[in-house]
C-alpha cells in the first residue's frame, strides 16, 4: 500500500518574501537611462535588462544565463557598484557560494595576504579570475565591462545601454553569394 504524505502549503506572504529575496533589481546608481533596469534572478542565474516604454510596459532587451560560480563573482560587483570590489570580497564570495559574511571576508583578506607573502597569489586567484573572465564575456552583451584595478580589485564600467535582442530588432536580410 502506498503512503500518502500531505504537505502544508506555504502562506502567500511567505512565498512573496522568498521570491523578493531571489530577484534583485539594479539601477546601477542611475548609470542606466531612465526607465531601464537590470534584474538578477539568483535562483536561475539570469540577468535581464528591462526597459519601460511610454506606457510603462516593461520590455526585455537582453538576457544572459550565468553559472553558480559566475553568479558568485557577479553579485558583489553589482552590489558594490559604482565602487570597486576588493579582491578579498570576490575571493570570499567565490568560495562561500556568494553568501560571504564579514568574518569570511576577513579570513579571505588574511589568506590572500599570506599567499602574497609566500608568492602563491596567482595560484589562489586563478579560479576567481577564470570565473570573472567568463562573466566579463557575458556582461559585454549588456555593454558593461569588468575592469581590473591593479593591486586593488575589480569594478564594473558602463559603456551604454545594450543593443536589443535579435528577435526585437528589425529583421535583417541575408545575402548569399553564389559561386561559379
Amino acid at each position: 500500500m502506498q503512503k500518502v504524505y500531505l504537505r502544508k502549503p506555504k502562506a502567500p506572504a511567505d512565498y512573496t518574501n522568498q521570491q523578493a529575496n531571489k530577484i534583485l533589481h539594479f539601477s546601477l546608481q542611475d548609470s542606466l537611462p531612465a526607465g531601464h533596469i537590470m534584474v538578477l534572478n539568483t535562483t536561475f542565474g539570469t540577468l535581464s535588462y528591462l526597459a519601460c516604454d511610454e506606457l510603462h510596459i516593461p520590455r526585455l532587451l537582453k538576457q544572459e544565463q550565468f553559472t553558480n560560480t559566475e553568479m558568485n563573482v557577479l553579485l558583489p560587483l553589482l552590489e558594490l557598484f559604482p565602487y570597486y570590489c576588493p579582491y578579498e570580497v570576490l575571493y570570499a564570495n567565490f568560495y562561500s557560494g556568494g553568501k560571504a559574511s564579514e568574518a569570511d571576508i576577513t579570513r579571505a583578506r588574511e589568506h590572500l595576504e599570506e599567499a602574497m607573502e609566500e608568492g602563491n597569489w596567482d595560484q589562489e586567484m586563478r579560479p576567481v579570475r577564470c570565473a570573472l573572465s567568463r562573466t566579463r564575456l557575458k556582461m559585454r552583451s549588456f555593454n558593461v565591462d569588468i575592469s581590473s584595478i591593479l593591486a586593488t580589485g575589480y569594478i564594473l564600467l558602463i559603456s551604454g545601454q545594450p543593443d536589443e535582442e535579435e528577435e526585437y530588432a528589425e529583421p535583417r536580410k541575408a545575402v548569399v553569394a553564389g559561386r561559379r
Side-chain angles (χ1 to χ4, degrees), residues 78-161:
L78 287 170
E79 289 175 338
L80 290 172
F81 183 85
Y83 306 104
Y84 75 93
C85 185
Y87 289 125
E88 60 264 19
V89 173
L90 286 170
Y91 189 87
N93 275 283
F94 182 82
Y95 285 107
S96 66
K99 299 171 184 78
S101 65
E102 287 299 320
D104 293 333
I105 294 169
T106 302
R107 280 194 298 276
R109 182 181 307 114
E110 292 167 356
H111 181 74
L112 290 174
E113 286 172 358
E114 288 175 14
M116 181 70 85
E117 291 171 6
E118 295 171 3
N120 300 359
W121 173 265
D122 287 332
Q123 290 174 337
E124 286 297 323
M125 287 301 294
R126 184 173 292 129
V128 177
R129 286 195 320 263
C130 287
L132 279 166
S133 177
R134 293 189 310 271
T135 304
R136 178 182 288 128
L137 289 174
K138 292 178 181 181
M139 291 300 289
R140 283 189 182 149
S141 67
F142 296 98
N143 288 337
V144 175
D145 193 25
I146 299 173
S147 183
S148 175
I149 302 173
L150 185 63
T152 306
Y154 290 86
I155 190 168
L156 290 180
L157 299 175
I158 312 298
S159 60
Q161 70 185 55

Side-chain angles (χ1 to χ4, degrees), residues 57-71:
I57 298 172
R59 192 172 64 140
L60 178 66
L61 297 180
K62 191 63 93 175
Q63 189 172 55
E64 287 286 340
Q65 181 98 31
F66 294 87
T67 65
N68 286 337
T69 55
E70 294 164 352
M71 288 284 295

